[in-house]
Amino acid sequence: MKETSINTTKFKKTVFIVNPQSGKLGGKHGIISTVKRIWGDAARDFEVIATTRRGEGERLAESAVENGCDLVVAVGGDGTLNEIVRGVMGSDTCAGLVPSGSGNGFARQWDIPLNYEEACRGLLTPEVSPCDVGMADDHLFLVTFGCGLDTLISEWYARSKIRGICSYFYHGVRAFFSYHPEEHTVSAGGETLYKGKPLLLTVANAAGYGGGTVIAPSAKCDDGILDLCIVEPLSLKATLINLPKIFDGGIQNIPQYWHYPIREITIHRNRRGPIHVDGDPFDAEKEISVKVIPSAIKIALPAR
Ligand SMILES: [Mg+2]
């Protein structure tokens, strides 16, 4: 699913921002020492900083930009990359990713190696591509925004001490039996696109949440378009029959699924409530504006 890259470059000053909490526990010292070994051997000007709390990546990325860094690399998952992009957006500084999250939806979209040593080495000679960013009110997203069942999963996962894809699956099953779909109306340009009680109401910049899921099979991060994806409630039997289609790229064959390319929509709910952006939960107003900012950032991709 690799997008169209525009050029290659070699960065002068790089900061790696490591989220020690992302993905599976353990192994992060391995990533830090790998970064230092590979980039040290290449005699590059770089620094490695670990975050100590949620949200700190944005401030660290802003500082890196102010200090003249031309590349800031998130070492973590989609949530960590989201923080770094908030810090570099609006500058000429590129964002990069060494994936070590639970789902790695962004890395899968761009064919960034999930092997962190390979991803780290590839960034020594990267390609640079423009990348769209989605906005849900003031919340930026690179992969997905959601206000349905996926929000409940992200809330429970955020509170869980157990990280990793198995934990996501566990909370997914729990959420399926607990979630009560609420009425949503989606409109664009004064026209109603959807009105109903969806199980999933997701806007995708990338094809999947991560972990091999595919919610918007044709999504690209550099086409200036977001994919509105809706799944209507399914019975348990229909869910079990159709579950493999969420992983094999065949979700469009589920009768209760439809998707629509959008640039800007408004989502109306009966009350304020939770949303998620890139798997991180937030509270939001009952009316949410979602739009794309085309080519909002430059993304550095490991060379092949
Ligand atoms: Mg797109």
Side-chain angles (χ1 to χ4, degrees), residues 205 220 223 225:
N205 191 33
K220 290 184 180 300
D223 60 358
I225 286 170

